[in-house]
Amino acid sequence: SGLVGPRLGTVLRHRDRAGDPARAAASYAYAVGWCLSHGCHDAAAELGRRGIEHADPEAHPDADPAVWWELVHATAMALAALRREDEAERLLHRARATTDSPVWHSTIAYSLAMLAVRHHDPARVDLSAALAWTNTAIAICGLLPDPAERAIKLGFDLNGRALVEARRGRDEEALRLVQEAIDLADRDLPPGAHAVHRMVLLANRAAVLDRLGRTGDALRDWTAAIDADPVHPDYYIDRGNLLLRLGRAAEAVADYETAMAVGPPFPEPYFNRSEARFAEGDHEGALADLDHALELDPGFTEARTNRAGLLAALGRNAEARADCAAGLAHRPGDAHLLSVLGQIEAAEGHGDRARAAFDQALGQDPTLAAAWASRGVLAYETGDAEAAVRDLTKALELGEDPAVLFNRAVVLAALGRTAEARGDLTRARALAPGDPDIEKALADLG
């Protein structure tokens, strides 16, 4: 909350002491909005709680309901961002009991849906509840008499329903809903009006199109969203991620760096740039980006996992082990961290401990190809070639990888299964043409 600044803090204290709840509430609403837009969620939640006391219509009959609602909504958003969903939900249900505004009830229903679908605890995600709340919001906003207001409010709720459908694995239905919201805006809003609303819809359509494999259309929509608001960082990250998957690493990095420049300090663009740098062989640059991502968010488990894996690959096992320990303390049983820990144990010659870590990782996530592949290499190195073939085969069933094909070929050749080894190396060469190790292994087979 120190980021609010001394002048703003003085204004809030003055309003509190002046005995003017209405002016105090308005000051708090401004402060909460500023904090929320600048990513200061702890400050926004605390200031919001205090502001709501001044704006409470039951305690202060002359309070402005619009200010009260602005504080409730912003505070709930801050609490959700802090993973304090239970507090946000209680606040929203309290708000439901104090208003009969259809617009506010619709917004509350939408907010409750987002809490249910985006809960930080996967075990508490409730898609059925989210679907019910979005349907409530849509039912209310569909009755609004003003076409322009309906286009905005109903379009917003259709967009929320699209997110729920996407989480249910129904991307075609999600696309239909977003397109319906876009069509509403095109039909019932003046040309050029509500640019932010249109931008959000375009970006969300881009995300659905990307999942459906329509990458060209997705790129066009993300570019249009960026053109509509060139200082919104999220869409640079989204477009950068797609460009990276398309092999356009330099363009992806440019988008990540623009996100860093135009947005508040947050870890995602650094994390994503680290992946681009790693893919280009810039391991030190990737490590620096992961360091910075973790400075910004020490609880960013994916960044810690990647840093542990990169440190292990660089032979910096003590640092890698420390990252694994810190990550597992934050997220016990994380399969990726356990797999990295297994690699560290194997590198240090602790075969039994390495296998135990790989076994535990696969018990948590049997679809983790890296753990199957690493356990297969360990089996070969400890004299169990048949087990190595089984594990490497399982890894390949989860996705082709030239390194895993190469390793299985080595094991097959050692077992005298030369034809199969040659087949693996031929396929590996097709996936990684020009790799000298693959070419030499093929030549050695004759």
Side-chain angles (χ1 to χ4, degrees):
S1 50
L3 290 174
V4 176
R7 182 179 179 186
L8 184 52
T10 301
V11 170
L12 293 175
R13 285 194 296 274
H14 172 73
R15 295 291 188 233
D16 281 348
R17 294 169 181 169
D20 186 343
R23 295 179 72 187
S27 296
Y28 275 111
Y30 171 80
V32 172
W34 188 95
C35 290
L36 197 61
S37 67
H38 287 76
C40 305
H41 297 123
D42 285 291
E46 173 57 23
L47 293 171
R49 181 190 63 77
R50 291 158 55 186
I52 288 168
E53 294 174 3
H54 292 283
D56 187 342
E58 292 184 354
H60 306 287
D62 296 330
D64 184 347
V67 174
W68 166 81
W69 170 241
E70 181 182 350
L71 281 161
V72 166
H73 189 235
T75 304
M77 290 176 64
L79 290 168
L82 293 168
R83 300 184 170 190
R84 293 160 61 182
E85 291 95 344
D86 289 345
E87 294 174 67
E89 188 174 353
R90 285 195 295 271
L91 178 60
L92 291 169
H93 281 303
R94 174 185 162 196
R96 290 177 66 219
T98 61
T99 181
D100 58 7
S101 163
V103 171
W104 290 351
H105 268 280
S106 171
T107 305
I108 291 168
Y110 174 91
S111 299
L112 289 166
M114 294 304 101
L115 291 177
V117 77
R118 290 173 169 161
H119 201 289
H120 77 276
D121 181 356
R124 308 240 343 242
V125 170
D126 189 340
L127 296 181
S128 295
L131 189 61
W133 281 119
T134 55
N135 284 340
T136 297
I138 289 167
I140 294 171
C141 283
L143 299 175
L144 294 175
D146 179 72
E149 184 180 31
R150 186 172 62 246
I152 291 292
K153 302 294 186 184
L154 180 56
F156 197 76
D157 295 332
L158 288 167
N159 191 48
R161 167 74 183 271
L163 172 63
V164 178
E165 295 291 5
R167 296 292 177 87
R168 296 174 72 203
R170 303 179 65 203
D171 282 328
E172 290 289 355
E173 176 64 7
L175 181 60
R176 185 193 70 77
L177 289 160
V178 176
Q179 188 61 53
E180 184 179 345
I182 291 172
D183 293 343
L184 268 174
D186 290 342
R187 186 187 71 205
D188 293 336
L189 294 176
H194 296 281
V196 172
H197 176 70
R198 297 174 189 269
M199 173 191 71
V200 170
L201 293 176
L202 281 172
N204 288 348
R205 186 173 68 180
V208 181
L209 289 167
D210 185 14
R211 288 195 301 274
L212 290 171
R214 294 169 56 180
T215 54
D217 293 334
L219 275 176
R220 280 191 290 274
D221 273 354
W222 267 317
T223 299
I226 288 168
D227 289 344
D229 184 1
V231 296
H232 189 84
D234 291 356
Y235 304 143
Y236 288 105
I237 294 175
D238 291 332
R239 188 176 69 176
N241 292 344
L242 176 52
L243 288 167
L244 186 60
R245 282 189 281 112
L246 294 174
R248 295 159 63 175
E251 294 170 82
V253 167
D255 271 353
Y256 298 146
E257 291 175 350
T258 304
M260 296 171 195
V262 302
F266 62 113
E268 281 77 10
Y270 294 95
F271 175 78
N272 293 354
R273 188 175 68 176
S274 77
E275 296 199 318
R277 286 177 161 178
F278 181 81
E280 295 293 299
D282 180 7
H283 293 169
E284 291 301 326
L287 190 58
D289 277 345
L290 291 169
D291 288 343
H292 193 59
L294 285 164
E295 287 174 10
L296 293 169
D297 181 5
F300 193 166
T301 305
E302 291 79 6
R304 194 168 296 281
T305 302
N306 282 11
R307 189 172 73 175
L310 181 51
L311 288 167
L314 294 172
R316 295 163 62 175
N317 290 337
E319 295 166 84
R321 188 184 291 278
D323 264 350
C324 287
L328 289 167
H330 180 73
R331 190 183 291 181
D334 182 274
H336 293 274
L337 285 166
L338 287 165
S339 182
V340 175
L341 182 60
Q343 294 170 38
I344 297 167
E345 299 287 9
E348 294 183 346
H350 308 306
D352 290 344
R353 296 208 301 242
R355 183 173 182 84
F358 293 137
D359 289 347
Q360 192 177 351
L362 291 169
Q364 294 289 332
D365 182 3
T367 68
L368 185 56
W372 288 107
S374 295
R375 196 175 74 172
V377 171
L378 176 66
Y380 178 67
E381 291 175 344
T382 54
D384 192 346
E386 295 291 350
V389 171
R390 287 194 298 272
D391 280 355
L392 293 167
T393 299
K394 184 62 178 180
L396 289 166
E397 288 171 356
L398 293 166
E400 278 194 309
D401 183 303
V404 180
L405 283 163
F406 178 88
N407 286 340
R408 189 172 69 172
V410 170
V411 182
L412 290 168
L415 289 169
R417 295 159 64 176
T418 306
E420 294 170 83
R422 186 178 293 107
D424 274 356
L425 290 170
T426 301
R427 179 58 185 158
R429 181 170 59 183
L431 294 171
D435 184 291
D437 292 331
I438 296 172
E439 296 295 343
K440 182 178 183 305
L442 275 168
D444 290 343
L445 283 178

